[in-house]
Amino acid sequence: MSEGPPEEPDMLERAVEATLFASEEPLAVDAISAHLGGLAPADVRDALACLEMRYRARGVHLVERGGRWHFETAPDLAHLMRREKEQVRRLSRAATEVLAIIAYHEPVSRAEIESIRGVQTSAGTLDVLMEAGWVRLAGRREVPGRPVIYATTPQFLDHFGLASRRDLPGIDELRAAGLLDPVDEAMEAALEGVVRFDPDEADDEGHRDG
Amino acid sequence: MSEGPPEEPDMLERAVEATLFASEEPLAVDAISAHLGGLAPADVRDALACLEMRYRARGVHLVERGGRWHFETAPDLAHLMRREKEQVRRLSRAATEVLAIIAYHEPVSRAEIESIRGVQTSAGTLDVLMEAGWVRLAGRREVPGRPVIYATTPQFLDHFGLASRRDLPGIDELRAAGLLDPVDEAMEAALEGVVRFDPDEADDEGHRDG
Amino acid sequence: MSQEAAPFLFAPDPARAEADALYLELDGWEGPLDLLLDLARRQKVDLLQISILALVDQYLAYIDQAGAMKLELAADYLVMAAWLAYLKSAMLLPKAAQEDPSPEELALRLQLRLQRLGAMREAAARLMGRDRIGRDVFVRGAPEGLRTDRKISWRSDIFALIQAYGQVKARAAPRIYHVANRPVMTLDSALERVSAMLGVTLEWMEIRDFLPPHATPELKRSALASSFVAALELTKRGRAELEQDGAFAPLRIRRLKDAAPA
């Protein structure tokens, strides 16, 4: 606590703290500042930074998720907290896959989801995700047929403890490996260079007879 | 913070903090200790004492009510939790008339108001006046049907700058001020004024009689 | 494959990787690519290194087995099986006989797709494994809630109040109608004027000539109406006659010879 905030929180910090404690949902800087009678957003940000540091060692943390702030219990206490009833709905495997595909590719159409999964996605799967508040309709893609496209919501970031989509586990690696590119693009890339898979092919030939 | 708890909260204190934070209701020491896998109640009490002190200067306090503990926003910040956004609106013509009738005739029933106004009065009008704090229910008139009667409030006198209802101008004063002139007559006067500007007017007067 | 009552509806089982049973998870919808991915995983190789032929063989064997067990298979499985059988035959043929796209390309495409699906399944698992609100971390159980009460503050003033009361009283009061003193020419004065002017001559005169010359438009209209009625009245009394060529044409009047001037 030596490097960070002063010993005693000032009025402004206390007000931001109380506001976030009392709020039923995460609040963006603007919302906090509006609630506190038009406090300068810069002051709110300072207060948030102080609070965030102040709570780091505590059983409750102040976290930012998708630009919105809230308090939550410290993750390392999860084993103690789980004792209470689990409030999380169990997602089917299909739903978790669809959610991941949307999160890593958003915005994405149903056809694109299906082309990755290789199977049709039942309407119920997307419904479940939208009902959970994690997925939303994000307009239409301006291609023939104008398909509806889907994206994740701020609640999705909240729920999975992501500060932003850049926090999605492994997203940088996946992107770097081209694994978020459509298959067609990957095909072109693969065929352009040395056809990497030819040497293996010879190997496979062997297996074929084996 | 110098006299009280150590700089860094220990695991036990953090666990109690998180438990109380996440709980949907205030928790007794026993309940906390049960949640935390049968922790010794004495340890829980120590942790609560530390936490209580730690939060004293904060925007959120740890408080005990009837043996059960919970977090709540600091009392001095309570006004921040319930913000009122004032929207100034001018009283409608109908509502002003009803208010005036109540002020001049109080206590008065709705039927009486209507008979004075000569028009029906919607229930919403009286609601608005009561919401404004200018009119109150003043009991019932002891006549058949026992109608509710209305009267003005001290806030009414305040808002209209009256020391008492006797300050309201009497009928004679209203008449003298021209406020009892029927609307048509006032119109007439206004129209005549317009006609008068004609320079031939004086000349015509002569002809008229001639 | 075990012999359960519902043979193709096995509950997801963590130990399934060890079991050699292939299964359809209808609830979680495991489809053809999913199944292929599973098969590829079992080869425990990089997806780009897997043997497509081995994969195809395993898949077709699964379909055969399912057929032998009289399992209903989703159309997706059968389409995939047909496509894989085609791919397998193409790969076994001499290269010269290949059409575009080559079987190698098809196999590559399949591998790329499997790789992408594998990446997403892994990502989904990592996502689900994060500290999730309501499972690992918890938000405040009983937030007081922030409320912005929109309160209407009513305004009025004493003048509006007494003015309103004045209007109410005025409306309720017995109404006394005052007719304003408009600039008019009465019938009497019109009769007087017209009679006097008729006395001057025996010629036809236009009724418009009887009007006061400097009158305001209001007075002129009144005078015209009164003079017309006066003219009718004089005609009725047999003291004058009226003449008009047509509707709205000038109206003329003259004194009857026998009649004495008024």
Side-chain angles (χ1 to χ4, degrees), chain A residues 11-200:
Chain A
M11 201 53 175
L12 201 151
E13 189 187 320
R14 292 179 69 235
V16 173
E17 183 182 27
T19 302
L20 281 171
F21 244 80
S23 174
E24 279 150 355
E25 49 192 16
L27 294 178
V29 169
D30 284 353
I32 299 171
S33 115
H35 187 79
L36 296 176
L39 209 64
D43 290 343
V44 173
R45 266 185 221 105
D46 286 350
L48 287 168
C50 279
L51 284 170
E52 193 270 331
M53 211 171 296
R54 221 184 263 286
Y55 274 91
R56 257 183 215 175
R58 314 298 300 272
V60 172
H61 289 177
L62 178 60
V63 294
E64 184 191 1
R65 303 283 181 247
R68 305 189 309 161
W69 294 77
H70 72 266
F71 282 107
E72 63 181 33
T73 56
D76 67 306
L77 299 173
H79 61 290
L80 295 172
M81 306 311 293
R82 281 200 198 109
R83 231 173 264 286
E84 302 186 35
K85 63 182 184 290
E86 196 168 291
Q87 306 159 354
V88 172
R89 81 153 75 210
R90 281 222 162 277
L91 282 187
S92 70
R93 204 173 101 186
T96 63
E97 279 178 27
V98 171
L99 179 61
I101 290 168
I102 294 173
Y104 284 77
H105 293 82
E106 78 178 43
V108 66
S109 71
R110 186 153 155 183
E112 288 157 355
I113 296 169
E114 290 178 353
S115 92
I116 293 171
R117 293 195 64 224
V119 285
Q120 286 203 328
T121 300
S122 74
T125 307
L126 279 162
D127 282 356
V128 162
L129 294 175
M130 287 197 277
E131 198 194 311
W134 295 336
V135 164
R136 66 186 167 88
L137 297 174
R140 292 178 180 278
R141 178 147 290 154
E142 289 307 332
V143 295
R146 303 186 68 240
V148 167
I149 48 180
Y150 298 88
T152 54
T153 62
Q155 291 100 291
F156 163 78
L157 296 176
D158 274 352
H159 183 86
F160 291 96
L162 300 162
S164 75
R165 278 189 59 240
R166 272 168 307 181
D167 268 13
L168 285 167
I171 192 167
D172 291 337
E173 294 87 328
L174 289 174
R175 188 173 289 129
L179 287 171
L180 299 181
D181 299 333
V183 168
D184 288 339
E185 274 176 38
M187 274 294 280
E188 272 172 40
L191 292 175
E192 251 172 45
V194 184
V195 185
R196 285 176 54 192
F197 109 111
D198 256 357
D200 301 332

Side-chain angles (χ1 to χ4, degrees), chain C residues 165-212:
Chain C
Y165 190 67
Q167 294 303 343
V168 168
K169 290 310 263 186
R171 245 190 354 242
R175 301 191 112 182
I176 303 160
Y177 290 94
H178 300 272
V179 178
N181 218 359
R182 285 210 182 84
V184 292
M185 179 180 282
T186 61
L187 181 56
D188 285 345
S189 69
L191 265 175
E192 233 170 86
R193 276 178 72 95
V194 174
S195 303
M197 292 179 79
L198 279 179
V200 175
T201 175
L202 272 171
E203 297 303 306
W204 285 106
M205 293 172 75
E206 229 188 284
I207 202 157
R208 209 169 284 162
D209 299 335
F210 291 78
L211 304 184

Side-chain angles (χ1 to χ4, degrees), chain C residues 206 208 228 242-252:
Chain C
E206 229 188 284
R208 209 169 284 162
F228 174 61
L242 285 168
E243 178 186 271
Q244 190 176 29
D245 293 338
F248 303 109
L251 187 63
R252 289 187 294 271

Side-chain angles (χ1 to χ4, degrees), chain A residues 21-22 72-73 75 81-82 87-88 93-94 97 115 117 119 158-161 178 181 184 186 197 201 208, chain C residues 16 28-32 34 53 92 104 109 113 116 121 130-138 140 145:
Chain A
F21 244 80
E72 63 181 33
T73 56
M81 306 311 293
R82 281 200 198 109
Q87 306 159 354
V88 172
R93 204 173 101 186
E97 279 178 27
S115 92
R117 293 195 64 224
V119 285
D158 274 352
H159 183 86
F160 291 96
D181 299 333
D184 288 339
F197 109 111
E201 188 66 19
R208 184 200 305 171
Chain C
R16 72 190 170 88
W29 228 121
E30 291 192 355
D34 214 338
L53 276 178
L92 292 171
E104 286 78 12
R109 181 177 287 271
R113 289 189 69 184
R116 271 153 187 73
R121 282 178 63 174
R130 289 185 63 84
D131 290 326
R132 292 169 61 184
I133 288 181
R135 189 187 70 177
D136 310 293
V137 297
F138 292 82
R140 184 129 183 250

Side-chain angles (χ1 to χ4, degrees), chain C residues 25-71:
Chain C
E25 188 187 90
L26 291 191
D27 173 42
W29 228 121
E30 291 192 355
L33 272 189
D34 214 338
L35 178 57
L36 278 173
L37 186 60
D38 218 39
L39 297 173
R41 284 264 158 74
R42 280 169 211 228
Q43 296 186 23
K44 296 187 176 162
V45 286
D46 179 345
L47 282 170
L48 277 178
Q49 316 273 324
I50 56 164
S51 158
I52 291 293
L53 276 178
L55 199 56
V56 169
D57 286 339
Q58 287 184 42
Y59 187 90
L60 295 178
Y62 163 66
I63 297 293
D64 275 350
Q65 188 192 12
M69 294 186 64
K70 298 192 176 101
L71 292 187

